[in-house]
Amino acid sequence: MRGMPLPGRRGFSSAAKNDILSNMAQRNSTLAHLKAGYLFPEIARRRREFAAVHPGAKIISLGVGNTTEPLLPHICAALTEGARRLGAVETYSGYMDEGLPELRGKINEIFYQEHFGIDEIFISDGSKCDIGRLQWLFGPGARPVVQDPSYPVYVDGSVIAGAAGEGIETGYQGITYLPCTKENGYFPDLSKIKDESLIYFCSPNNPTGAVSTQRELARLVEKARSTKSIIIFDAAYSTYIRDPSLPTTIYAIDGAEECAIEVNSFSKSAGFTGVRLGWSVVPHALRFSGGESVHADWARLQATIFNGASNIAQFGALAALDAEGRAEITALTDFYLENARLIRTALKALGIECTGGDNSPYVWAYFPGEQSWAAFARILETCHVITTPGSGFGPAGEGFVRFSAFGHRADIEEACGRLAKL
Ligand code: PLP
């Protein structure tokens, strides 16, 4: 295959540039409302800046939530086999739309005890992508509510969808922020939730590492129902929950299927951050305030702007949910939980107050009297360790720093040793 030759890239005169600009398609004005730089590119920029000044420093990252350990053998073999199947005429498959029926059934069995019909489970290329697309269901009229701090896509996606209103110093006027603080045990006061809101809720939480109890989630569901609100429940870290009394899904709560969508993913459980596979649950019982079916709109929207997840990834996910695959998931998440325990122990030995890291891969550390970015800079300068400043997740994250347990064991141990210099 030979591509067509392209003309050379040349600079235009300013007159020609102006002429071109006056004829171009307009930018979506909501993009201009996004606050400066997405958090992680900003951290990467600061890391590059530090490395340029300290070329010999061995920087260890406990910053991003990206998995580091290789795929485990049983799951990896299924992915390889999935690729082989696409290479043979007898087993080749093309678009699979909402997903492989066996996989939808297996997710229903393992995560929801077959509570749903398989058409209520939609396979996707990841939960972040689903959250982005779900925002199209509600559009600029949505009334977003977020935990503060929270995973940035809830806020930034709302801004892009035109639902966030004016940017103000502490966030956006159109978004209701529910502070999750030391004082309230990282479960927010729900009384600020207004009628017909769209509530983003994440448990186990990124970034605080807090996991909501059955009773807390029951209060959330009750509030959503009484305000005719819809919850988008992000359960991306559910496989990190070890305490059997903690709910791994919002549907463990009575009545949740009438007020909640759930998203989840194989990213943090099976190490699929680079493979890409997730799912959403949109129950038939869920209705918009006008009585229309959310399920019908989601099916229509997905069919319009999404052509299904990778078939190879789906074959891998199917293996991840059989007995051997589930044992691999447990081993992998146990590994990261042990990293989290090491980090928490190292911080506590220094008298640094922290939470999370027992049923989640994030440790949320408190640096009283210090701004998050200042603590980030001090840890980088002193220990050559990258973290994530809590304020990047929302105003109530100020004074906190997030440590991620995604790392090789040797790096985690070395980073923990270096933290003693703080
Ligand atoms: N939800 C939360 C809370 C996350 O922290 C992340 C990734 O860090 C995601 C969703 C994205 O997951 P996925 O890889 O499935 O898009």
Side-chain angles (χ1 to χ4, degrees):
M1 202 176 83
R2 193 167 56 82
M4 218 167 161
L6 301 180
R9 299 182 74 180
R10 58 188 190 281
F12 293 101
S13 69
S14 37
K17 249 190 214 155
N18 285 342
D19 193 40
I20 290 169
L21 285 178
S22 64
N23 292 315
M24 297 299 284
Q26 278 183 18
R27 182 189 192 196
N28 179 348
S29 61
T30 62
L31 289 169
H33 297 149
L34 286 171
K35 287 181 182 278
Y38 183 71
L39 177 62
F40 296 104
E42 176 59 18
I43 292 170
R45 191 189 66 74
R46 292 190 186 217
R47 178 186 177 141
R48 280 194 304 276
E49 223 172 67
F50 181 82
V53 181
H54 304 87
K58 185 193 168 213
I59 300 172
I60 298 176
S61 176
L62 304 183
V64 291
N66 203 353
T67 47
T68 54
E69 302 311 294
L71 297 165
L72 288 166
H74 175 67
I75 300 172
C76 195
L79 289 164
T80 310
E81 171 62 14
R84 199 201 55 74
R85 287 171 72 160
L86 296 192
V89 71
E90 302 78 21
T91 45
Y92 176 79
S93 54
Y95 295 128
M96 268 192 210
D97 303 324
E98 295 95 344
L100 191 65
E102 297 95 294
L103 178 59
R104 301 168 85 186
K106 198 73 188 166
I107 288 172
N108 195 19
E109 175 199 326
I110 301 295
F111 290 87
Y112 309 109
Q113 289 90 52
E114 300 192 327
H115 183 78
F116 295 103
I118 70 160
D119 67 327
E120 292 169 291
I121 292 161
F122 297 76
I123 307 297
S124 75
D125 51 349
S127 49
K128 189 186 205 178
C129 322
D130 269 338
I131 294 161
R133 285 187 293 263
L134 280 165
Q135 291 171 327
W136 286 98
L137 285 181
F138 302 93
R143 295 179 191 149
V145 174
V146 296
Q147 288 159 292
D148 173 17
S150 71
Y151 181 52
V153 68
Y154 315 142
V155 168
D156 285 357
S158 301
V159 174
I160 295 169
E166 285 291 300
I168 48 176
E169 204 191 324
T170 50
Y172 292 89
Q173 229 165 39
I175 294 183
T176 301
Y177 293 83
L178 305 179
C180 297
T181 61
K182 251 161 28 86
E183 291 69 32
N184 61 25
Y186 303 99
F187 184 84
D189 172 7
L190 304 175
S191 64
K192 277 167 67 182
I193 297 175
K194 299 188 204 80
D195 283 353
E196 297 182 19
S197 293
L198 181 61
I199 307 165
Y200 295 91
F201 205 93
C202 178
S203 176
N205 190 266
N206 178 10
T208 65
V211 188
S212 301
T213 64
Q214 181 92 8
R215 193 173 289 184
E216 287 168 337
L217 290 188
R219 276 164 50 204
L220 177 69
V221 165
E222 162 59 25
K223 186 69 183 176
R225 286 166 65 97
S226 67
T227 55
K228 296 191 175 358
S229 298
I230 289 181
I231 301 165
I232 295 182
F233 189 78
D234 187 340
Y237 297 96
S238 67
T239 52
Y240 286 81
I241 294 179
R242 293 293 179 272
D243 177 343
S245 74
L246 294 170
T248 52
T249 163
I250 189 71
Y251 302 116
I253 311 299
D254 249 4
E257 65 186 88
E258 285 154 27
C259 65
I261 292 169
E262 179 161 299
V263 293
N264 204 328
S265 159
F266 289 88
S267 284
K268 311 300 168 94
S269 56
F272 275 25
T273 42
V275 176
R276 308 304 304 144
L277 204 75
W279 72 91
S280 59
V281 183
V282 182
H284 284 297
L286 186 64
R287 302 274 146 181
F288 292 106
S289 58
E292 310 89 340
S293 159
V294 177
H295 180 278
D297 276 3
W298 183 231
R300 178 75 175 83
L301 190 139
Q302 287 283 68
T304 305
I305 61 172
F306 179 58
N307 251 346
S310 146
N311 296 357
I312 299 172
Q314 295 190 69
F315 293 130
L318 201 49
L321 295 183
D322 68 21
E324 218 176 316
R326 293 204 311 276
E328 288 189 346
I329 286 180
T330 304
L332 189 62
T333 47
D334 275 349
F335 174 86
Y336 290 126
L337 283 167
E338 173 61 10
N339 283 352
R341 193 191 64 76
L342 292 171
I343 296 167
R344 218 177 44 221
T345 307
L347 290 170
K348 285 198 170 154
L350 300 172
I352 297 172
E353 204 180 323
C354 53
T355 183
D358 37 10
N359 293 284
S360 99
Y362 298 118
V363 178
W364 188 237
Y366 184 41
F367 290 83
E370 197 170 7
Q371 301 261 299
S372 298
W373 277 108
F376 166 91
R378 186 162 65 86
I379 298 166
L380 180 55
E381 286 286 339
T382 320
C383 312
H384 299 178
V385 169
I386 295 279
T387 56
T388 312
S391 57
F393 296 100
E398 189 57 276
F400 288 85
V401 161
R402 187 193 76 174
F403 289 80
S404 160
F406 294 112
H408 303 310
R409 180 62 47 78
D411 288 341
I412 299 285
E413 284 171 347
E414 187 173 339
C416 287
R418 290 186 200 168
L419 290 176
K421 294 192 214 148
L422 278 178

